[in-house]
Amino acid sequence: MRDTVADFLGKNDFSIQTIEVDAILDHFQRDMTAGLRGEPASLAMIPAYIGIDHPVPVGKPVIVLDAGGTNLRTAVLTFDAAGKPTIGKFSKFAMPGTQGTRATARMFYDALTAFLAPVLAEARSIGFCFSYPADITPDCDARLIRWTKQVDIPELVGAMVGGGLRDALAERGYHVDITILNDTVATLLAGKSSGLLRRYSNYVGFILGTGTNTAYVARNADIRKAPGLDPAGAMAINVESGNFNGVPLSTFDRLFDATTADPGVGTFEKKISGAYIGGLGLVVLQCAAREGFFSKAAADELLACDNLPNKDLDDFCDNPFIPTGVLSDMSFTDDDRRLIMELCTPVYERAALLTAINISAAVLQTGSGEDPLHPVCVTIDGSTYYRTKTAHLKSRVESHLRDILGSRNIHYELINIDDAPMIGAAVAGLTR
Ligand code: BGC
């Protein structure tokens, strides 16, 4: 079976052995440099207008609003003298425009103001972690470039999201300062502010959750598309790495991309992140079903399935006898079960390799890490990274990183901070 599966995947350009790591790394770095210069590139390379060296005030509360792909979270944070955060008044709501329902701009701002209402008396500033591609202004407002993660609020594309929220709050009598930042920039800041005893040479923030993205710190002198910056300074850059287009698409990637709300966009994200890997795996299974790989009953059920959440596929590949999820209701023989594991584990193996290439490109782009005294700090956040069981995703990424960065003598440290996006948003709200 293994050879037949390998032939089938190879024939559809889905063979991990053919991924050219060095060429993709070069392409990634070329696109990062071009994006910073304002030249055409698949990477938006968005300056965050957030420095990373401001001290965090002790004991001063800040409101955090965290708009992710699935949830909206609100909380009030304070930091102690050692930089340790306390998260209070935490609440979680569904993100408007998700779960298959379209929302209007009004609905979005109404929902945000209602969710914020119980904490608005606690502080005057809001650190707003906005996990979507958005151009940031020097005063840290954000113009939404496009939605990702299949969020459906079309009216907001092109709008200033911070200004909209400020106006909606002002209508209700609340006057606040809002600092917007991307979740990867927040994750990077959380790593920077965590008071670790190491002396790092540079910082990267990486997220692999519902979506994926990367931030790192660039020298202002290299951000040629933003003239007028202090050339001696540095700032965080939101790479928008989910839109990287330097990895060839397999037949399955093309077929799957055509089923999404935004074909041709975010094709890297669609290969590695939680909103998509289940759907991609389903396409692999359906193509295999059409080629006669499965029993008749299994093939019919797989072909009739129109949504396979990543969690269900991951749970199944980890334990095909688990009693929950979309696949648990289907009539599989043991051979069908083995086939699903054989066909879909490579989807996760490829995601791990591409994730490692992505993180490596950002670390190399910092130009730091040669000195073992001062490694690059890579703060990683996201449920897909930490919770995926199939292919031992996290440890596979770590192993690829040792190969790619270790062979280049680059020193780095991977760190995990609980609630990094919220903590980083609080830091930004307090220090701007
Ligand atoms: C968005 C990024 C975000 C990432 C992780 C992507 O879909 O484009 O802005 O950082 O998801 O949440």
Side-chain angles (χ1 to χ4, degrees), residues 130-133 146 148-149 182-184 207 210-214 238 240 269:
F130 188 65
S131 309
Y132 302 93
R146 61 171 186 281
T148 54
K149 305 165 186 158
N182 185 262
D183 53 351
T184 52
I207 294 190
T210 311
T212 187
N213 192 11
T214 319
N238 165 15
E240 283 299 329
E269 173 159 277

Side-chain angles (χ1 to χ4, degrees), residues 58-405:
V58 176
K60 185 172 173 194
V62 61
I63 297 166
V64 164
L65 173 63
D66 177 12
T70 319
N71 296 312
L72 250 177
R73 301 182 183 87
T74 55
V76 179
L77 276 80
T78 47
F79 292 84
D80 70 13
K84 192 170 164 302
T86 302
I87 303 183
K89 305 212 174 241
F90 176 85
S91 310
K92 191 160 100 177
F93 314 88
M95 169 74 182
T98 60
Q99 284 119 15
T101 3
R102 173 165 292 192
T104 60
R106 187 78 248 172
M107 285 156 80
F108 176 75
Y109 291 124
D110 281 351
L112 261 53
T113 43
F115 298 154
L116 282 168
V119 290
L120 283 169
E122 306 282 331
R124 278 225 49 235
S125 354
I126 300 181
F128 184 177
C129 177
F130 188 65
S131 309
Y132 302 93
D135 281 324
I136 303 291
T137 59
D139 60 351
C140 289
D141 199 346
R143 183 184 299 281
L144 177 63
I145 299 172
R146 61 171 186 281
W147 289 109
T148 54
K149 305 165 186 158
Q150 314 292 292
V151 174
D152 196 7
I153 320 177
E155 217 185 311
L156 279 178
V157 174
M160 300 304 295
V161 177
L165 177 59
R166 202 172 10 249
D167 292 349
L169 289 170
E171 277 172 28
R172 290 161 175 80
Y174 296 107
H175 299 279
V176 288
D177 294 326
I178 300 176
T179 303
I180 302 199
L181 72 172
N182 185 262
D183 53 351
T184 52
V185 174
T187 297
L188 181 156
L189 280 179
K192 170 74 171 75
S193 72
S194 65
L196 298 172
L197 295 174
R198 274 265 201 201
R199 296 188 189 177
Y200 294 109
S201 50
N202 215 315
Y203 296 86
V204 168
F206 175 76
I207 294 190
L208 185 62
T210 311
T212 187
N213 192 11
T214 319
Y216 77 111
V217 182
R219 296 180 317 148
N220 287 352
D222 291 332
I223 313 174
R224 299 213 204 138
K225 67 178 172 188
L229 300 175
D230 170 7
M235 73 166 76
I237 299 290
N238 165 15
V239 175
E240 283 299 329
S241 50
N243 200 43
F244 178 53
N245 69 359
V247 181
L249 301 186
S250 70
T251 313
F252 311 127
D253 295 310
R254 285 179 213 286
L255 288 170
F256 173 58
D257 182 45
T259 69
T260 60
D262 50 358
V265 175
T267 55
F268 188 78
E269 173 159 277
K270 289 172 187 167
K271 294 183 174 88
I272 71 173
S273 80
Y276 304 103
I277 320 190
L280 178 61
L282 179 61
V283 168
V284 175
L285 296 176
Q286 291 179 330
C287 289
R290 282 193 201 93
E291 295 212 5
F293 275 72
F294 292 102
S295 68
K296 167 90 176 71
D300 288 348
E301 285 173 339
L302 285 169
L303 288 169
C305 175
D306 62 1
N307 176 30
L308 177 53
N310 176 43
K311 181 172 185 315
D312 292 0
L313 182 60
D314 180 38
D315 285 349
F316 187 95
C317 291
D318 180 56
N319 174 2
F321 297 100
I322 204 153
T324 55
V326 170
L327 296 172
S328 66
D329 296 333
M330 297 193 190
S331 339
F332 295 135
T333 64
D334 277 359
D335 275 347
D336 291 328
R337 293 192 174 91
R338 278 186 204 100
L339 266 167
I340 294 178
M341 294 169 87
E342 288 282 333
L343 284 161
C344 290
T345 302
V347 172
Y348 293 93
E349 288 170 350
R350 186 184 70 162
L353 177 56
L354 296 178
T355 296
I357 295 175
N358 174 348
I359 295 172
S360 300
V363 170
L364 292 171
Q365 196 71 2
T366 65
S368 309
E370 278 169 16
D371 182 348
L373 287 185
H374 303 294
V376 177
C377 174
V378 182
T379 308
I380 303 186
D381 192 69
S383 52
T384 306
Y385 183 77
Y386 289 108
R387 293 206 206 123
T388 301
K389 296 162 287 215
T390 310
H392 305 286
L393 184 117
K394 172 174 172 288
S395 81
R396 193 172 288 264
V397 173
E398 290 166 352
S399 155
H400 287 310
L401 283 172
R402 283 193 290 276
D403 289 347
I404 300 172
L405 292 174

